[in-house]
Amino acid sequence: MTQSSWWRHAAIYELYVRSFADGDGDGTGDLAGVRARLPYLADLGVDAIWFSPWYPSPMSDAGYDVADYRSIDPVFGNLADADALIAEGHALGLRTIIDIVPNHCSDRHRWFQAALAAGPGSPERARFWFRPGRGPGGELPPNGWRSEFGGPAWTRTTGPDGTAGEWYLHLFAAEQPDFNWANPEVRAEFEDILRFWFDRGVDGVRIDSAALLTKDPALPEPGGPSPYTDRDDVHDIYRAWRKVADEYPGRVLIGEIWLGDAARLARYLRRDELHTVFNFPYLCCPWDAAELRAVIDRTLEFHAAASAPATWVLSNHDVDRHVSRYGRADTSFGLDRRDHSQPVDLELGTRRARAAALLTMALPGSVYVYQGDELGLWEVEDIPDERRQDPIWHRTSGADPGRDGSRVPLPWSGVEPPFGFSPPGAEPWLPQPKEWRELTVEAQSAAVPSGGPGSMLELYRRALHVRRAEFVPAAELTWLPAPDGVLAFGRGGVACVANLSAGPVELPRGEVLLASGSLAGGLLPPDTAAWLRTVSR
Ligand code: NOJ
């Protein structure tokens, strides 16, 4: 593996800026907070940091409503802070990946403001999807498309004199108008934005809602094939982006694509398109050996066919944290069926999350750690309604609990909120559970027993370092014979065994490098995983 294809085997930390560390005491995380904690991330053992959107934004969707793609929101800092952060990260061996949001912008973006001012039929409106309404007075939306966040996907404009005008399309919140990617100005603008950030030294981009960009211009009613998800013409965009990325060696294009169909997903990984895509079937899979094995096999098969590295992710800022998912009776996940009414066994979920960490990090390809995974944080399900911020919660009138529970600020130190996230006395933008006093970085660093499996943080640190030292990036996975309910595979000279069955199992011969829990008489207990060196060195 050359330096320039570092992303084929990287451990990438998803850093949700608002909730990582608050440097200026306003209750919201910022770049100063990140800069102060870069040594923590270097010590953890990750190779790169993916930052959630840091651009100026009214925060109607937590920064995924971008008002200016070439600047930093003052809540987070400024461009000089970003430059310093990129440079300081590089000095510590940490690469920077930023989030690019091309499907939509903020309704405060200058282009959208200009479109509103310019009126129907204008070139300014042609960069978006403006249409007259249906019905005698145009009072009905142009079609019946629904927003991904609930409610209609169209909002009607109001002129300066208060009269109702055209409607505009937004697949997400009303404050996130969709760009019209058939418009050459939109294409040119984003290629320029890519160059802007690559010139500043960023090492890659995570492309938000990457399969949704192009729309059927006929705007057909729902019911048939999706008029906007995964259309054939979206690939032209990524071929053009790849040309830009190829001008900058070592840069990676990562697609956020919620598609279950491996064959469709593989199309984004063609030689002249994206380098990697997120693997959500793995994230959504229940804690079940046969189902996980099937997802792993399918993933490896279609990535091999595309000569692209697989990616593995357990949690992110859009899904229920996996400690909670794995502690429920139904351990599967779907974006359209978040359910916070199920009982959660946090002890069981935590044990499984530890095992899942070793399973995931042993798989060939790159791996993502969502901030707080390494602390074993759970989904906070009891955020008071008046503190909730997610537009999903608001647009569904609370029927969908939304994503705030996975975005609660990190606990760093101390025994009460804000747990070192903010200076004492400041109030974090979302409330932290008082039980997190046991999960702070400080508490988990102090409690390292000699020889024992240690805290979640210690497990992640050791796993990330052992992964680097022991797993040969190019080594392929070979399944080993194992009883029902057990996943066992070798990769090069290392074996990984994860016991998802109800009883203890024997381990293959070898030196145990790391285990997610204590071994009982040399046996691997249920919901536990281990790595073994099977070839002596
Ligand atoms: C996917 C992002 O991860 C999510 O947080 C956001 O709300 C939507 N795309 C819309 O940008």
Side-chain angles (χ1 to χ4, degrees):
M1 192 175 66
T2 62
Q3 260 300 87
S4 65
S5 51
W6 58 274
W7 38 268
R8 296 188 78 91
H9 185 65
I12 300 171
Y13 189 87
E14 181 192 351
L15 193 149
Y16 192 74
V17 185
R18 294 170 103 190
S19 299
F20 185 73
D22 168 17
D24 64 5
D26 64 358
T28 299
D30 48 39
L31 301 193
V34 178
R35 286 173 66 187
R37 309 279 182 178
L38 283 176
Y40 165 81
L41 295 176
D43 180 51
L44 184 61
V46 294
D47 304 300
I49 308 171
W50 148 34
F51 291 89
S52 59
W54 54 16
Y55 316 101
S57 166
M59 301 285 165
S60 297
D61 182 24
Y64 284 93
D65 46 324
V66 180
D68 177 357
Y69 290 83
R70 295 181 184 79
S71 187
I72 302 289
D73 194 289
V75 165
F76 298 141
N78 55 38
L79 268 181
D81 295 325
D83 290 340
L85 177 54
I86 294 167
E88 287 161 8
H90 283 163
L92 289 168
L94 296 166
R95 293 183 156 94
T96 295
I97 295 167
I98 58 164
D99 216 313
I100 294 268
V101 188
N103 181 65
H104 46 266
C105 58
S106 159
D107 59 355
R108 310 308 305 166
H109 189 281
R110 66 188 163 83
W111 276 11
F112 191 72
Q113 289 295 312
L116 289 179
S122 61
E124 287 83 354
R125 286 204 174 185
R127 295 165 175 155
F128 298 91
W129 290 94
F130 281 88
R131 289 289 182 280
R134 290 171 302 165
E139 68 283 356
L140 294 172
N143 69 20
W145 293 5
R146 308 285 298 168
S147 150
E148 303 277 327
F149 287 171
W154 296 92
T155 290
R156 196 166 192 188
T157 58
T158 312
D161 59 354
T163 53
E166 287 188 317
W167 297 69
Y168 66 90
L169 176 69
H170 51 87
L171 291 186
F172 294 92
E175 296 84 357
Q176 294 167 293
D178 278 45
F179 284 115
N180 174 9
W181 273 88
N183 185 308
E185 284 177 24
V186 172
R187 294 187 181 230
E189 172 70 354
F190 273 90
E191 287 166 31
D192 192 64
I193 291 165
L194 284 181
R195 287 201 172 83
F196 176 87
W197 288 106
F198 287 154
D199 284 338
R200 296 195 102 83
V202 310
D203 301 280
V205 298
R206 175 266 192 195
I207 306 161
D208 186 68
S209 305
L212 301 184
L213 272 48
T214 58
K215 277 95 191 170
D216 181 341
L219 303 178
E221 285 299 336
S226 173
Y228 50 78
T229 303
D230 187 36
R231 282 168 49 86
D232 287 345
D233 53 359
V234 78
H235 296 281
D236 301 344
I237 298 168
Y238 300 126
R239 279 195 280 271
W241 286 29
R242 179 60 176 262
K243 285 201 182 109
V244 175
D246 283 348
E247 292 169 24
Y248 298 83
R251 305 316 208 266
V252 61
L253 301 176
I254 306 162
E256 189 231 7
I257 302 177
W258 282 86
L259 283 183
D261 180 338
R264 302 291 304 181
L265 209 44
R267 286 154 45 95
Y268 292 82
L269 294 168
R270 287 178 288 204
R271 274 189 54 241
D272 54 352
E273 294 194 41
L274 307 182
H275 298 93
T276 69
V277 291
F278 281 96
N279 183 7
F280 293 123
Y282 181 72
L283 181 153
C284 295
C285 188
W287 185 244
D288 175 275
E291 294 204 41
L292 279 166
R293 180 169 169 159
V295 172
I296 292 167
D297 279 339
R298 211 165 38 245
T299 303
L300 293 176
E301 192 189 327
F302 85 77
H303 280 89
S307 302
T311 67
W312 309 98
V313 56
L314 290 168
S315 281
N316 69 30
H317 65 286
D318 291 329
V319 308
D320 288 0
R321 283 188 177 274
H322 60 279
V323 164
S324 296
R325 295 195 326 255
Y326 291 157
R328 295 175 181 153
D330 178 0
T331 52
S332 69
F333 180 79
L335 280 182
D336 53 349
R337 51 188 176 82
R338 265 186 218 91
D339 178 6
H340 290 183
S341 67
Q342 302 179 57
V344 180
D345 179 341
L346 285 178
E347 201 184 309
L348 177 65
T350 302
R351 192 159 65 242
R352 289 175 170 170
R354 294 174 66 98
L358 293 199
L359 171 67
T360 305
M361 287 191 222
L363 294 167
S366 61
V367 64
Y368 285 81
V369 176
Y370 174 45
Q371 69 178 38
D373 286 357
E374 80 278 24
L375 302 178
L377 300 188
W378 59 79
E379 182 73 13
V380 183
E381 298 184 336
D382 58 356
I383 296 174
D385 289 355
E386 66 279 8
R387 298 290 302 270
R388 290 187 183 271
Q389 307 232 355
D390 189 353
I392 292 187
W393 189 84
H394 290 284
R395 288 182 65 92
T396 62
S397 308
D400 184 326
R403 305 161 295 179
D404 290 321
S406 64
R407 301 173 174 184
V408 173
L410 292 192
W412 290 94
S413 57
V415 292
E416 56 187 37
F419 294 124
F421 166 74
S422 294
E427 185 168 27
W429 69 280
L430 282 174
Q432 301 158 301
K434 61 180 183 336
E435 295 81 6
W436 282 7
R437 66 178 166 267
E438 286 164 19
L439 299 183
T440 63
V441 171
E442 184 179 54
Q444 297 201 45
S445 304
V448 184
S450 56
S455 64
M456 185 74 91
L457 177 56
E458 196 50 29
L459 179 73
Y460 265 80
R461 276 189 188 132
R462 283 158 67 177
L464 286 162
H465 287 275
V466 173
R467 179 179 182 271
R468 246 184 212 162
E470 301 281 341
F471 284 98
V472 177
E476 289 184 6
L477 174 151
T478 315
W479 292 108
L480 303 172
D484 276 357
V486 177
L487 293 167
F489 56 87
R491 270 192 68 212
V494 187
C496 172
V497 185
N499 181 7
L500 284 75
S501 76
V505 294
E506 281 187 19
L507 286 169
R509 279 230 286 233
E511 176 198 344
V512 176
L513 293 167
L514 191 57
S516 67
S518 302
L519 304 183
L523 298 179
L524 187 69
D527 295 315
T528 308
W531 290 351
L532 297 97
R533 189 185 288 138
T534 48
V535 176
S536 50
R537 306 207 294 182

